[in-house]
Amino acid sequence: AQCWHPPGAARGPFILFEPDVLRADIARLLAPLTSHEAPAVLSPHPDDAVWLQQTALQLLDEHRALGRRPLEVHHALRRSLLESLLLRLANSCGIAPADTTAGTGRGDTYGRFVDVLELHFRELHRAADYAELLGCSVRTLSRAARDATGKGVRELIDERRLLEARRLLGGARWAARDVAAHLGFTDPANFGRFFRDRTGLTPAAFATREATPNP
């Protein structure tokens, strides 16, 4: 699921792929742009824009061409086009890759926190829980989070739970009671207050709004 706030006026092909579709050597070359510290949006140099658009459209055409060529050739072509697209984008003039050589400093602590948060946000909701998993103090974890995002650990945990709630209520059409249980709320009423305080809507009102087609 992709979450855009707000969607803006962006237009173009939308490409989703599993990480393991990339060869290991290509993934290593792209690592500076897939780290936690990397920018969320990359704007290529105008000299590269036309080439990138053409390659994206070729990739889309090949994706639609299933059955036109032998399956292994089809997959190889898709992978080759995707890797070419990402490598050209990553090395476009003006793209500044994130520094991934920070070692075991606060940036690394925050990156590890994001990884374990993604695994455990449903059942672990305290900063102390994550500090224990990471083998550091709550103070160290809090400093790392604030250095990276300007937010506290609890706020980041709540944001991840809220994003999951929005996805399940809106896209998956889960009932609020089921979402509450999935996210570790012992009482659906507590989940309702949590959701309303952060969105201004009850879970039911949010689900109804998301289910209503835009005019």
Side-chain angles (χ1 to χ4, degrees):
Q2 296 292 315
C3 188
W4 298 75
H5 297 292
R11 295 291 184 274
F14 189 50
I15 302 168
L16 290 175
F17 58 93
E18 295 291 340
D20 57 5
V21 76
L22 301 176
R23 292 174 299 172
D25 57 329
I26 300 298
R28 282 194 296 272
L29 291 175
L30 294 169
L33 291 177
T34 57
S35 69
H36 296 297
E37 296 81 13
V41 177
L42 303 178
S43 298
H45 190 275
D47 292 345
D48 289 322
V50 173
W51 187 95
L52 288 166
Q53 183 179 35
Q54 290 174 345
T55 305
L57 292 174
Q58 290 175 10
L59 177 57
L60 180 61
D61 181 68
E62 185 59 39
H63 181 71
R64 293 169 172 167
L66 181 63
R68 191 188 304 169
R69 283 176 272 275
L71 186 60
E72 62 272 17
V73 175
H74 171 70
H75 287 324
L77 281 168
R78 287 198 308 168
R79 179 182 295 110
S80 176
L81 287 165
L82 175 62
E83 290 176 345
S84 297
L85 179 72
L86 295 174
L87 286 169
R88 185 72 170 262
L89 175 61
N91 292 279
S92 182
C93 293
I95 300 296
D99 180 9
T100 59
T101 62
T104 58
R106 291 179 187 170
D108 182 63
T109 299
Y110 173 71
R112 292 165 56 219
F113 165 65
V114 172
D115 288 338
V116 296
L117 175 63
E118 193 63 27
L119 290 174
H120 299 291
F121 69 88
R122 298 168 186 84
E123 70 273 10
L124 299 181
H125 311 134
R126 300 183 307 140
D129 296 328
Y130 291 93
E132 182 177 355
L133 284 175
L134 296 173
C136 67
S137 68
V138 172
R139 185 176 181 181
T140 296
L141 178 57
S142 298
R143 286 181 175 176
R146 290 203 177 276
D147 286 349
T149 68
K151 301 176 181 179
V153 176
R154 182 56 186 268
E155 185 178 359
L156 294 171
I157 296 169
D158 286 349
E159 283 184 355
R160 185 61 185 90
R161 297 174 85 194
L162 180 63
L163 176 58
E164 192 74 3
R166 289 165 60 97
R167 288 171 172 172
L168 295 176
L169 290 167
R173 303 289 190 265
W174 282 32
R177 180 178 297 274
D178 295 332
V179 176
H182 181 71
L183 294 178
F185 288 90
T186 56
D187 184 352
N190 290 337
F191 169 65
R193 285 189 290 271
F194 168 88
F195 193 88
R196 186 178 62 250
D197 288 346
R198 289 159 180 79
T199 66
L201 296 171
T202 65
F206 175 83
T208 299
R209 189 189 71 178
E210 293 297 299
T212 303
N214 291 325

